[in-house]
Amino acid sequence: GGRTRTVANLPFPVAHAPLVALGSSLYLVGGANAAGHPLNRILRIDPASGSVIPVGRLPSPLADAAAVTVQGRIVVLGGNGNAASDAVLVLQPTARGRA
């Protein structure tokens, strides 16, 4: 019984990326591009305005990771970049939304 609607469009196709909510924003972390190559970008999505802006970069490209929010931070773990990752990363967005 629900509705689905588009609230934003990404600047490029992305697959295999975790998306987490923090405050009133959504953060898309890494992922893979249309050719299947892992990405290192972090995008902030504002569902209210539809804006999508780059706010940071991962230390290395990462797709198929897991991500959660904990105490105002984004925790990213695992995934696959140049090889499988055993890293646990903590991203702290600033007041301006940058990670």
Side-chain angles (χ1 to χ4, degrees):
R3 271 185 352 160
T4 301
R5 65 184 175 89
T6 301
V7 296
N9 289 299
L10 301 176
F12 45 82
V14 178
H16 305 278
L19 179 73
V20 295
L22 184 61
S24 61
S25 296
L26 302 171
Y27 290 84
L28 186 74
V29 181
N33 65 15
H37 300 290
L39 302 168
N40 68 346
R41 293 192 178 177
I42 302 167
L43 301 176
R44 182 176 61 81
I45 303 163
D46 181 342
S49 70
S51 71
V52 179
I53 59 170
V55 293
R57 293 188 180 271
L58 295 166
S60 61
L62 195 61
D64 295 318
V68 296
T69 55
V70 178
Q71 298 176 343
R73 296 179 287 180
I74 300 168
V75 180
V76 180
L77 61 146
N80 197 15
N82 298 329
S85 174
D86 61 359
V88 177
L89 307 171
V90 176
L91 313 173
Q92 177 70 55
T94 65
R96 298 180 69 194
R98 299 193 75 75

mmCIF file of all heavy atoms in Angstrom, residues 12 26-30 39-44 53-59 74 76 91 93 97-99:
data_model
loop_
_atom_site.group_PDB
_atom_site.id
_atom_site.type_symbol
_atom_site.label_atom_id
_atom_site.label_comp_id
_atom_site.label_asym_id
_atom_site.label_seq_id
_atom_site.Cartn_x
_atom_site.Cartn_y
_atom_site.Cartn_z
ATOM 1 N N PHE A 12 26.305 9.563 -11.120
ATOM 2 C CA PHE A 12 26.780 8.450 -11.933
ATOM 3 C C PHE A 12 26.145 7.180 -11.380
ATOM 4 O O PHE A 12 25.735 7.141 -10.217
ATOM 5 C CB PHE A 12 28.312 8.342 -11.906
ATOM 6 C CG PHE A 12 28.896 8.488 -10.522
ATOM 7 C CD1 PHE A 12 28.948 7.415 -9.642
ATOM 8 C CD2 PHE A 12 29.375 9.710 -10.091
ATOM 9 C CE1 PHE A 12 29.464 7.560 -8.366
ATOM 10 C CE2 PHE A 12 29.898 9.866 -8.813
ATOM 11 C CZ PHE A 12 29.941 8.785 -7.948
ATOM 12 N N LEU A 26 21.423 11.255 3.940
ATOM 13 C CA LEU A 26 21.815 9.895 3.624
ATOM 14 C C LEU A 26 23.246 9.935 3.102
ATOM 15 O O LEU A 26 23.623 10.878 2.396
ATOM 16 C CB LEU A 26 20.903 9.307 2.543
ATOM 17 C CG LEU A 26 19.421 9.263 2.867
ATOM 18 C CD1 LEU A 26 18.622 8.857 1.629
ATOM 19 C CD2 LEU A 26 19.163 8.305 4.007
ATOM 20 N N TYR A 27 24.046 8.939 3.458
ATOM 21 C CA TYR A 27 25.435 8.870 2.985
ATOM 22 C C TYR A 27 25.623 7.580 2.205
ATOM 23 O O TYR A 27 25.351 6.493 2.719
ATOM 24 C CB TYR A 27 26.407 8.928 4.164
ATOM 25 C CG TYR A 27 26.442 10.287 4.807
ATOM 26 C CD1 TYR A 27 25.503 10.644 5.768
ATOM 27 C CD2 TYR A 27 27.394 11.227 4.428
ATOM 28 C CE1 TYR A 27 25.521 11.896 6.344
ATOM 29 C CE2 TYR A 27 27.407 12.490 5.011
ATOM 30 C CZ TYR A 27 26.475 12.816 5.964
ATOM 31 O OH TYR A 27 26.486 14.058 6.533
ATOM 32 N N LEU A 28 26.088 7.723 0.955
ATOM 33 C CA LEU A 28 26.386 6.598 0.091
ATOM 34 C C LEU A 28 27.904 6.428 0.107
ATOM 35 O O LEU A 28 28.640 7.362 -0.234
ATOM 36 C CB LEU A 28 25.894 6.873 -1.327
ATOM 37 C CG LEU A 28 26.003 5.728 -2.316
ATOM 38 C CD1 LEU A 28 24.936 4.679 -2.007
ATOM 39 C CD2 LEU A 28 25.837 6.232 -3.724
ATOM 40 N N VAL A 29 28.368 5.265 0.532
ATOM 41 C CA VAL A 29 29.791 5.051 0.786
ATOM 42 C C VAL A 29 30.371 4.068 -0.227
ATOM 43 O O VAL A 29 29.991 2.889 -0.248
ATOM 44 C CB VAL A 29 30.001 4.517 2.223
ATOM 45 C CG1 VAL A 29 31.469 4.311 2.512
ATOM 46 C CG2 VAL A 29 29.373 5.462 3.242
ATOM 47 N N GLY A 30 31.302 4.542 -1.053
ATOM 48 C CA GLY A 30 31.969 3.673 -2.021
ATOM 49 C C GLY A 30 30.997 3.074 -3.013
ATOM 50 O O GLY A 30 30.148 3.756 -3.563
ATOM 51 N N LEU A 39 34.677 2.108 -6.018
ATOM 52 C CA LEU A 39 34.812 3.562 -5.906
ATOM 53 C C LEU A 39 35.277 3.948 -4.508
ATOM 54 O O LEU A 39 35.056 3.208 -3.555
ATOM 55 C CB LEU A 39 33.453 4.222 -6.174
ATOM 56 C CG LEU A 39 32.815 3.930 -7.526
ATOM 57 C CD1 LEU A 39 31.363 4.396 -7.539
ATOM 58 C CD2 LEU A 39 33.620 4.609 -8.625
ATOM 59 N N ASN A 40 35.879 5.123 -4.388
ATOM 60 C CA ASN A 40 36.296 5.598 -3.070
ATOM 61 C C ASN A 40 35.515 6.832 -2.621
ATOM 62 O O ASN A 40 35.825 7.433 -1.609
ATOM 63 C CB ASN A 40 37.800 5.881 -3.039
ATOM 64 C CG ASN A 40 38.198 7.067 -3.896
ATOM 65 O OD1 ASN A 40 37.418 7.538 -4.714
ATOM 66 N ND2 ASN A 40 39.418 7.527 -3.729
ATOM 67 N N ARG A 41 34.488 7.212 -3.323
ATOM 68 C CA ARG A 41 33.737 8.433 -3.016
ATOM 69 C C ARG A 41 32.691 8.224 -1.919
ATOM 70 O O ARG A 41 32.118 7.150 -1.787
ATOM 71 C CB ARG A 41 33.028 8.952 -4.252
ATOM 72 C CG ARG A 41 33.992 9.430 -5.289
ATOM 73 C CD ARG A 41 33.272 10.179 -6.343
ATOM 74 N NE ARG A 41 34.236 10.679 -7.307
ATOM 75 C CZ ARG A 41 33.904 11.335 -8.380
ATOM 76 N NH1 ARG A 41 32.632 11.565 -8.633
ATOM 77 N NH2 ARG A 41 34.814 11.769 -9.201
ATOM 78 N N ILE A 42 32.462 9.294 -1.186
ATOM 79 C CA ILE A 42 31.372 9.342 -0.214
ATOM 80 C C ILE A 42 30.460 10.478 -0.658
ATOM 81 O O ILE A 42 30.911 11.621 -0.832
ATOM 82 C CB ILE A 42 31.899 9.613 1.213
ATOM 83 C CG1 ILE A 42 32.912 8.535 1.617
ATOM 84 C CG2 ILE A 42 30.735 9.678 2.200
ATOM 85 C CD1 ILE A 42 33.715 8.888 2.854
ATOM 86 N N LEU A 43 29.185 10.173 -0.871
ATOM 87 C CA LEU A 43 28.208 11.167 -1.311
ATOM 88 C C LEU A 43 27.200 11.423 -0.201
ATOM 89 O O LEU A 43 26.771 10.487 0.477
ATOM 90 C CB LEU A 43 27.461 10.680 -2.552
ATOM 91 C CG LEU A 43 28.291 10.348 -3.791
ATOM 92 C CD1 LEU A 43 27.390 9.788 -4.883
ATOM 93 C CD2 LEU A 43 29.026 11.582 -4.285
ATOM 94 N N ARG A 44 26.820 12.695 -0.034
ATOM 95 C CA ARG A 44 25.743 13.044 0.897
ATOM 96 C C ARG A 44 24.513 13.376 0.066
ATOM 97 O O ARG A 44 24.564 14.168 -0.870
ATOM 98 C CB ARG A 44 26.094 14.245 1.762
ATOM 99 C CG ARG A 44 24.967 14.553 2.773
ATOM 100 C CD ARG A 44 25.325 15.672 3.719
ATOM 101 N NE ARG A 44 25.572 16.933 3.044
ATOM 102 C CZ ARG A 44 24.624 17.782 2.637
ATOM 103 N NH1 ARG A 44 23.346 17.502 2.796
ATOM 104 N NH2 ARG A 44 24.952 18.898 2.051
ATOM 105 N N ILE A 53 25.926 15.621 -3.113
ATOM 106 C CA ILE A 53 27.242 16.244 -3.209
ATOM 107 C C ILE A 53 28.316 15.306 -2.670
ATOM 108 O O ILE A 53 28.078 14.570 -1.719
ATOM 109 C CB ILE A 53 27.295 17.599 -2.467
ATOM 110 C CG1 ILE A 53 26.960 17.423 -0.993
ATOM 111 C CG2 ILE A 53 26.381 18.621 -3.100
ATOM 112 C CD1 ILE A 53 27.225 18.666 -0.161
ATOM 113 N N PRO A 54 29.507 15.343 -3.295
ATOM 114 C CA PRO A 54 30.617 14.573 -2.753
ATOM 115 C C PRO A 54 31.089 15.231 -1.456
ATOM 116 O O PRO A 54 31.225 16.453 -1.391
ATOM 117 C CB PRO A 54 31.683 14.639 -3.839
ATOM 118 C CG PRO A 54 31.276 15.711 -4.770
ATOM 119 C CD PRO A 54 29.842 16.009 -4.531
ATOM 120 N N VAL A 55 31.310 14.417 -0.417
ATOM 121 C CA VAL A 55 31.718 14.977 0.876
ATOM 122 C C VAL A 55 32.997 14.342 1.418
ATOM 123 O O VAL A 55 33.453 14.710 2.500
ATOM 124 C CB VAL A 55 30.600 14.857 1.933
ATOM 125 C CG1 VAL A 55 29.420 15.743 1.565
ATOM 126 C CG2 VAL A 55 30.157 13.423 2.132
ATOM 127 N N GLY A 56 33.568 13.403 0.690
ATOM 128 C CA GLY A 56 34.801 12.795 1.161
ATOM 129 C C GLY A 56 35.200 11.627 0.303
ATOM 130 O O GLY A 56 34.524 11.286 -0.671
ATOM 131 N N ARG A 57 36.325 11.024 0.696
ATOM 132 C CA ARG A 57 36.839 9.853 -0.014
ATOM 133 C C ARG A 57 37.301 8.817 0.992
ATOM 134 O O ARG A 57 37.813 9.154 2.050
ATOM 135 C CB ARG A 57 38.000 10.235 -0.915
ATOM 136 C CG ARG A 57 37.588 11.125 -2.069
ATOM 137 C CD ARG A 57 38.758 11.294 -3.042
ATOM 138 N NE ARG A 57 38.374 12.135 -4.151
ATOM 139 C CZ ARG A 57 37.825 11.693 -5.283
ATOM 140 N NH1 ARG A 57 37.598 10.407 -5.438
ATOM 141 N NH2 ARG A 57 37.510 12.505 -6.251
ATOM 142 N N LEU A 58 37.112 7.576 0.638
ATOM 143 C CA LEU A 58 37.650 6.474 1.430
ATOM 144 C C LEU A 58 39.158 6.391 1.185
ATOM 145 O O LEU A 58 39.642 6.845 0.143
ATOM 146 C CB LEU A 58 36.989 5.160 1.012
ATOM 147 C CG LEU A 58 35.489 5.057 1.288
ATOM 148 C CD1 LEU A 58 34.899 3.879 0.523
ATOM 149 C CD2 LEU A 58 35.242 4.930 2.771
ATOM 150 N N PRO A 59 39.916 5.786 2.106
ATOM 151 C CA PRO A 59 41.351 5.644 1.888
ATOM 152 C C PRO A 59 41.687 4.832 0.636
ATOM 153 O O PRO A 59 42.721 5.034 0.016
ATOM 154 C CB PRO A 59 41.853 4.918 3.136
ATOM 155 C CG PRO A 59 40.772 5.007 4.134
ATOM 156 C CD PRO A 59 39.496 5.270 3.405
ATOM 157 N N ILE A 74 29.805 7.281 11.093
ATOM 158 C CA ILE A 74 29.518 6.197 10.158
ATOM 159 C C ILE A 74 30.637 5.176 10.289
ATOM 160 O O ILE A 74 31.812 5.520 10.167
ATOM 161 C CB ILE A 74 29.433 6.727 8.711
ATOM 162 C CG1 ILE A 74 28.318 7.770 8.597
ATOM 163 C CG2 ILE A 74 29.220 5.577 7.732
ATOM 164 C CD1 ILE A 74 28.342 8.560 7.298
ATOM 165 N N VAL A 76 32.199 1.780 8.712
ATOM 166 C CA VAL A 76 32.216 0.991 7.483
ATOM 167 C C VAL A 76 33.149 -0.192 7.712
ATOM 168 O O VAL A 76 34.260 -0.021 8.223
ATOM 169 C CB VAL A 76 32.731 1.823 6.291
ATOM 170 C CG1 VAL A 76 32.755 0.999 5.013
ATOM 171 C CG2 VAL A 76 31.888 3.077 6.115
ATOM 172 N N LEU A 91 33.978 7.131 9.992
ATOM 173 C CA LEU A 91 33.871 8.415 9.303
ATOM 174 C C LEU A 91 33.092 9.366 10.194
ATOM 175 O O LEU A 91 32.016 9.020 10.679
ATOM 176 C CB LEU A 91 33.149 8.241 7.971
ATOM 177 C CG LEU A 91 33.612 7.076 7.091
ATOM 178 C CD1 LEU A 91 32.699 6.936 5.892
ATOM 179 C CD2 LEU A 91 35.043 7.279 6.663
ATOM 180 N N PRO A 93 31.337 12.801 9.877
ATOM 181 C CA PRO A 93 30.944 13.963 9.089
ATOM 182 C C PRO A 93 31.022 15.242 9.926
ATOM 183 O O PRO A 93 30.746 15.228 11.127
ATOM 184 C CB PRO A 93 29.497 13.669 8.683
ATOM 185 C CG PRO A 93 29.382 12.190 8.804
ATOM 186 C CD PRO A 93 30.270 11.812 9.939
ATOM 187 N N GLY A 97 28.665 18.446 6.673
ATOM 188 C CA GLY A 97 28.333 17.200 6.004
ATOM 189 C C GLY A 97 29.493 16.460 5.406
ATOM 190 O O GLY A 97 29.344 15.403 4.844
ATOM 191 N N ARG A 98 30.717 17.022 5.505
ATOM 192 C CA ARG A 98 31.892 16.358 4.921
ATOM 193 C C ARG A 98 32.375 15.240 5.826
ATOM 194 O O ARG A 98 32.368 15.372 7.036
ATOM 195 C CB ARG A 98 33.000 17.368 4.674
ATOM 196 C CG ARG A 98 32.556 18.443 3.684
ATOM 197 C CD ARG A 98 33.685 19.266 3.185
ATOM 198 N NE ARG A 98 34.513 18.591 2.212
ATOM 199 C CZ ARG A 98 34.202 18.371 0.956
ATOM 200 N NH1 ARG A 98 33.034 18.721 0.486
ATOM 201 N NH2 ARG A 98 35.056 17.785 0.136
ATOM 202 N N ALA A 99 32.807 14.150 5.208
ATOM 203 C CA ALA A 99 33.309 12.999 5.978
ATOM 204 C C ALA A 99 34.821 12.936 5.910
ATOM 205 O O ALA A 99 35.427 13.424 5.013
ATOM 206 C CB ALA A 99 32.714 11.712 5.438
#
